[in-house]
Amino acid sequence: MTCVDSVSIHVGRSDRLSTVCSGFDAMVGKRGRQMVAIARTAAKPVTSLGGFFAMAFDTFVQMFQRPFAWQEYVMQTWFVARVSVLPALLLTMPFAVLLTFTFNILLTEFGAADFSGTGAAIGTVNQIGPIVTVLVVSGAGATAMCADLGARTIREELDALRVMGINPIRSLVVPRVLAATTVALALSATVILVGLTGAFLFCTTVQHVSPGAFVGGLNLLTGPGDIIVALIKATLFGMAAGLIACYKGTSVRGGPAGVGNAVNETVVFTFMVLFAINVIVTAVAIQYTVS
């Protein structure tokens, strides 16, 4: 074997070895990228949850810092109230009338139609008020706040505020969270009042219940403790909805399409969290209100 043949054999072996190594590297690189993609997908909910709690903690800290953005707070309170009051009133009347009508059918069978006010008070104060507040705050108020902040985010207004030394949490997030809390509290009281009024009119005009008996039964099983619990629920609803909407709005990625996705996610997450809060607070408070 000549030196030329030996060199040719070594070159061929090195070419084959480099080809095998390149294929191995490509296979490992592909699988590595797949593993990284899977890990990122699995870690995304945890990352989002951590970011939400970090923003919520920062929001609570900034609530007590001065100066407070009073003008933004008043404007956002009026904005959220404007988009929430009418849907809340339109939802309250059918819910209250349907509950009262169904409950009175049962009471009529026992000859106790005069206790219709008791059933209307229990249903409206304990459940209709919080549920309508959940639906309206998450479906109208939170989505509007998320869309507003999302549009500001994709236009890089929040980055511009940071460059100018203005904290977006203090100037934008805190007023919106407090505005959602204020409107939810007022909305719950309004829903309870309108629901009881609608139930009273329906019972006295359609089902011929005595007005005095209806009013006399309102506080038979429903006391101040139930009203306080309902208002506490509304406060927690508004605060949770405001925090979720602000977080989704300030963490938007992907341009206008990302804003639309953030609004949809705000509705879903707000529904889930608010109904969970309703169940937990009701289960805890019933131990005290019943006794």
Side-chain angles (χ1 to χ4, degrees), residues 103-290:
F103 191 69
N104 284 355
I105 291 177
L106 179 63
L107 291 178
T108 304
E109 295 293 329
F110 293 101
D114 290 339
F115 290 98
S116 59
T118 304
I122 293 175
T124 303
V125 173
N126 293 336
Q127 295 303 325
I128 291 181
I131 288 177
V132 171
T133 304
V134 165
L135 296 175
V136 174
V137 168
S138 60
T143 54
M145 287 191 297
C146 178
D148 179 43
L149 286 178
R152 292 171 181 261
T153 301
I154 64 173
R155 292 197 302 263
E156 300 182 352
E157 292 184 16
L158 302 187
D159 295 332
L161 290 175
R162 294 187 183 97
V163 170
M164 292 187 295
I166 301 174
N167 190 346
I169 300 295
R170 183 189 300 180
S171 60
L172 296 178
V173 174
V174 170
R176 282 166 172 78
V177 172
L178 293 179
T181 305
T182 304
V183 173
L185 184 61
L187 197 64
S188 179
T190 305
V191 165
I192 291 173
L193 181 61
V194 173
L196 291 177
T197 303
F200 172 79
L201 295 176
F202 180 79
C203 290
T204 56
T205 57
V206 177
Q207 295 186 313
H208 306 292
V209 176
S210 172
F214 184 93
V215 174
L218 287 176
N219 60 351
L220 188 60
L221 295 178
T222 303
D226 299 285
I227 298 176
I228 293 174
V229 169
L231 297 180
I232 291 175
K233 286 182 185 179
T235 303
L236 296 176
F237 291 162
M239 187 171 296
L243 288 172
I244 293 173
C246 290
Y247 173 72
K248 299 305 294 184
T250 55
S251 61
V252 167
R253 298 291 184 272
V259 177
N261 294 332
V263 170
N264 294 334
E265 292 174 358
T266 298
V267 176
V268 176
F269 293 152
T270 307
F271 271 141
M272 294 170 58
V273 171
L274 298 191
F275 277 114
I277 292 175
N278 186 27
V279 172
I280 293 173
V281 174
T282 301
V284 173
I286 200 171
Q287 306 296 328
Y288 300 96
T289 56
V290 170

Side-chain angles (χ1 to χ4, degrees), residues 10-24:
H10 285 296
V11 170
R13 288 178 179 176
S14 63
D15 291 341
R16 288 194 297 271
L17 181 61
S18 63
T19 302
V20 172
C21 291
S22 299
F24 180 75

